[in-house]
């Protein structure tokens, strides 16, 4: 030949066409096909095993076995039967735009059918695509373009024809796929539900999210960040560049090392795990976890610190902070507690060990439960104090007395309360020692700038296991 195309060492596509432009054969080779590091370095040809196998797949090519390094003009040294009997499959799909779908196949589909619009049908009266384009990909990918935009929050079904076959004539097996476009999530749709910011030595942080909305949330619309010392957003990372739906009530566990999470915790749900290349840095003592949507709007922002852990723990390494009620204010300190020891100090991807959404009617001041046991078993580990004051601006003084009338803890001094507020007692005395089992009396003094004064006495029981 007077000229010859350049063939790179790493790989390139070679096509053989007739004079009229009909594609006769094609291969996109790769140096990885040698499966032999020495031969990969040069001097050896790649040979086709079965010339009747037109799959163009890597498993039909190997490095030559001929001692000269190749077999130009004669039978291949690795010639043999290697029929393609494996049907093509749809590896994945992506709604790449408001009116287009990208399909990624495991192997090449016969061109005569791949670009026939009648072989693809979308429901809800959208019909067939108006144009089909091939996408540059290491296998075979098509983009289906439709006239109409896809409506949000409607479940679509795309049906593929059984005329879609690979080069050996094997028909595609999975012929139906479903997708849905979700609305952009807003504040209140998604919450930070569990945080491990101080992992075991050599371990990895994790952040658990919970969809508390009634609809789907596309993970592609979510970003995670932290805040710097000036409270400015820092280290903002996307969760995914591909569409993936998070159903209502579903958990999503984020980490850069999900295998480490599985090895360190006995209670977990692996299907909720999403491994990220990058996760913001979260300090072991305090920090901020921020979740944003793709419009840079804040969905949730949690300011954590190590003092929010159960005070009776010897060490907080490897212990996650769990949200008690996903519907309560994120930064309400009483709404967070250490994961229970009984579940291994973490519940990645599962309902929290201290989960509680039981709403109690509160008459000005009241306890969620009059009996509590601060033993980190996930059940009433704190005494929750609820306030329903009718107006904001009250200032509270709260003192705790034992059954002998001795003051054992001053829980609050001149603490400003909101209209609906919540505090907790962790069962510790003023000396930070655990209070003995018994009955305790709370004395509340509430003062308002308009002169209104309220006083209350409430009793509770600190329980526990008798030795």
């Amino acid at each position: 030949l007077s000229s010859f195309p350049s063939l790179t060492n790493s790989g390139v596509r070679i096509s053989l066409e007739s004079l009229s432009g009909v594609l006769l054969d094609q291969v996109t080779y790769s140096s990885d096909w040698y499966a032999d590091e020495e031969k990969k370095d040069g001097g050896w040809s790649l040979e086709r095993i079965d010339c009747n196998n037109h799959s163009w797949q890597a498993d039909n090519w190997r490095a030559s076995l001929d001692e000269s390094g190749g077999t130009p003009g004669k039978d291949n040294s690795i010639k043999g039967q290697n029929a393609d009997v494996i049907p093509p499959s749809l590896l994945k799909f992506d709604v790449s735009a408001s009116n287009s779908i990208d399909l990624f196949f495991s192997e090449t589909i016969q061109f005569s059918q791949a670009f026939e619009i009648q072989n693809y049908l979308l429901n809800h009266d959208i019909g067939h695509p108006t144009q089909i384009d091939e996408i540059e990909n290491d296998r075979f990918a098509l983009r289906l373009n439709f006239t109409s935009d896809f409506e949000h929050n409607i479940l679509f079904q795309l049906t593929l024809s059984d005329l879609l076959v690979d080069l050996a004539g094997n028909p595609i097996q999975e012929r139906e796929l479903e997708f849905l476009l979700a609305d952009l999530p807003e504040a209140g749709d998604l919450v930070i539900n569990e945080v491990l910011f101080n992992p075991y030595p050599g371990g990895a942080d994790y952040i658990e999210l919970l969809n508390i909305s009634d609809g789907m949330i596309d993970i592609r619309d979510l970003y995670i960040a932290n805040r710097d010392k000036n409270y400015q957003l820092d280290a903002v990372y996307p969760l995914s560049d591909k569409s993936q739906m998070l159903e209502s009530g579903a958990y999503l566990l984020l980490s850069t090392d999900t295998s480490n999470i599985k090895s360190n915790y006995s209670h977990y749900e692996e299907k909720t795990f999403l491994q990220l290349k990058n996760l913001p840095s979260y300090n072991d003592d305090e920090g901020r976890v921020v979740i944003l949507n793709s419009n840079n709007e804040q969905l949730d922002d949690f300011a954590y610190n190590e003092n929010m852990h159960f005070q009776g723990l010897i060490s907080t390494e490897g212990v996650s902070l769990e949200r008690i009620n996903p519907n309560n204010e994120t930064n309400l300190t009483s709404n967070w507690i250490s994961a229970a020891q009984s579940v291994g100090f973490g519940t990645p991807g599962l309902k929290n060990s201290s989960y509680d959404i039981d709403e109690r009617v509160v008459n000005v001041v009241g306890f969620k439960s009059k009996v509590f046991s601060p033993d980190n078993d996930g059940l009433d580990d704190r005494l929750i104090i609820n306030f329903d004051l009718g107006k904001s601006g009250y200032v509270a003084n709260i003192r705790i007395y034992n059954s002998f009338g001795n003051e054992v803890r001053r829980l609050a001094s001149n603490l400003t309360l909101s209209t609906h507020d919540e505090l907790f007692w962790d069962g510790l005395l003023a000396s930070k020692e655990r209070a003995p089992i018994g009955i305790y009396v709370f004395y509340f003094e509430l003062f308002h700038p308009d002169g209104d004064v309220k006083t209350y006495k409430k009793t509770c029981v600190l329980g526990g296991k008798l030795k």
Side-chain angles (χ1 to χ4, degrees), residues 107 191 270 360 450:
E107 56 179 304
V191 297
E270 185 176 0
R360 306 286 178 95
D450 64 9

Side-chain angles (χ1 to χ4, degrees), residues 150-180:
F150 309 138
E151 293 185 42
H152 282 220
N153 298 313
I154 292 180
L155 186 64
F156 286 94
Q157 184 179 76
L158 178 67
T159 303
L160 309 181
S161 169
D162 57 5
L163 297 177
L164 295 174
V165 298
D166 64 12
L167 300 179
N170 301 306
I172 191 167
Q173 299 297 298
E174 305 89 352
R175 295 182 47 227
E176 292 183 348
L177 60 92
E178 294 180 338
F179 68 91
L180 177 148

Side-chain angles (χ1 to χ4, degrees), residues 134-161:
E134 186 178 4
I135 304 173
E136 288 295 328
N137 189 264
D138 60 347
R139 290 182 182 269
F140 187 71
L142 298 174
R143 175 165 294 161
L144 310 183
N145 301 289
F146 296 85
T147 302
S148 303
D149 287 348
F150 309 138
E151 293 185 42
H152 282 220
N153 298 313
I154 292 180
L155 186 64
F156 286 94
Q157 184 179 76
L158 178 67
T159 303
L160 309 181
S161 169

Side-chain angles (χ1 to χ4, degrees), residues 333-375:
T333 304
S334 60
N335 199 35
W336 293 86
I337 195 170
S338 305
Q341 183 177 1
S342 59
V343 297
F345 298 113
T347 53
L350 293 171
K351 185 168 75 171
N352 291 345
S353 59
S354 298
Y355 176 83
D356 185 2
I357 58 171
D358 184 24
E359 297 293 341
R360 306 286 178 95
V361 177
V362 179
N363 182 17
V364 185
V365 178
F367 299 140
K368 193 165 189 179
S369 174
K370 289 188 176 182
V371 180
F372 76 112
S373 54
D375 51 13

Side-chain angles (χ1 to χ4, degrees), residues 35-304:
D36 186 312
E37 289 300 319
E38 291 186 5
K39 293 182 178 181
K40 181 180 178 180
D41 286 340
W44 297 82
S45 73
L46 282 172
E47 296 183 345
R48 197 171 195 152
I49 300 172
D50 188 344
C51 291
N52 292 314
N53 180 348
H54 297 281
S55 66
W56 302 343
Q57 293 177 343
D59 57 8
N60 198 36
W61 293 80
R62 288 292 182 274
S64 176
L65 297 177
D66 193 279
E67 61 182 11
S68 67
T71 54
K74 59 182 180 180
D75 281 348
N76 291 346
S77 63
I78 60 172
K79 179 181 178 180
Q81 291 186 346
N82 186 32
D84 179 9
V85 296
I86 301 174
S89 61
L90 186 65
L91 297 177
K92 61 180 178 179
F93 68 92
D94 185 27
V95 182
S96 54
S98 60
N99 65 340
S100 63
I101 306 171
D102 293 350
L103 305 178
F104 299 86
F105 297 92
S106 60
E107 56 179 304
T108 302
I109 305 299
Q110 285 190 12
F111 278 48
S112 60
Q113 297 299 330
F115 294 92
E116 177 56 60
I117 64 173
Q118 300 297 322
N119 287 331
Y120 311 90
L121 181 64
L122 191 60
N123 65 348
H124 294 300
D125 298 324
I126 291 184
H128 306 291
T130 56
Q131 181 178 333
I132 302 175
D133 301 314
E134 186 178 4
I135 304 173
E136 288 295 328
N137 189 264
D138 60 347
R139 290 182 182 269
F140 187 71
L142 298 174
R143 175 165 294 161
L144 310 183
N145 301 289
F146 296 85
T147 302
S148 303
D149 287 348
F150 309 138
E151 293 185 42
H152 282 220
N153 298 313
I154 292 180
L155 186 64
F156 286 94
Q157 184 179 76
L158 178 67
T159 303
L160 309 181
S161 169
D162 57 5
L163 297 177
L164 295 174
V165 298
D166 64 12
L167 300 179
N170 301 306
I172 191 167
Q173 299 297 298
E174 305 89 352
R175 295 182 47 227
E176 292 183 348
L177 60 92
E178 294 180 338
F179 68 91
L180 177 148
L181 295 183
D183 287 331
L184 195 66
E186 301 176 346
D189 290 342
L190 186 80
V191 297
I192 299 162
N193 196 58
E194 186 175 350
V195 178
L196 176 69
F197 53 87
N198 184 10
Y200 293 115
D205 292 349
Y206 71 72
I207 309 296
E208 182 189 82
L209 307 179
L210 173 62
N211 179 3
I212 61 172
S213 73
D214 294 328
M216 297 272 197
I217 293 176
D218 195 338
I219 295 174
R220 183 168 57 179
D221 292 330
L222 301 178
Y223 291 74
I224 189 167
N226 59 16
R227 292 188 185 276
D228 61 22
K229 61 182 180 180
N230 297 318
Y231 303 105
Q232 299 300 307
L233 286 175
D234 187 31
V236 181
Y237 297 113
L239 299 195
S240 177
D241 59 357
K242 298 178 178 61
S243 180
Q244 181 180 344
M245 294 300 157
L246 186 66
E247 297 180 354
S248 175
Y251 299 91
L252 181 65
L253 196 285
L254 312 174
S255 179
T256 56
D257 190 352
T258 54
S259 61
N260 178 269
I261 305 304
K262 289 188 291 184
S263 64
N264 283 331
Y265 297 92
S266 58
H267 293 69
Y268 61 84
E269 180 51 75
E270 185 176 0
K271 68 181 181 181
T272 69
F273 288 10
L274 178 63
Q275 179 148 324
L276 304 180
K277 291 183 179 179
N278 297 295
L279 192 68
S281 176
Y282 296 113
N283 296 332
D284 292 349
D285 53 353
E286 61 180 0
R288 300 285 285 266
V289 183
V290 185
I291 302 297
L292 310 165
N293 65 19
S294 53
N295 281 349
N296 207 35
E297 298 168 337
Q298 180 178 298
L299 303 182
D300 206 2
D301 184 342
F302 175 43
Y304 68 84

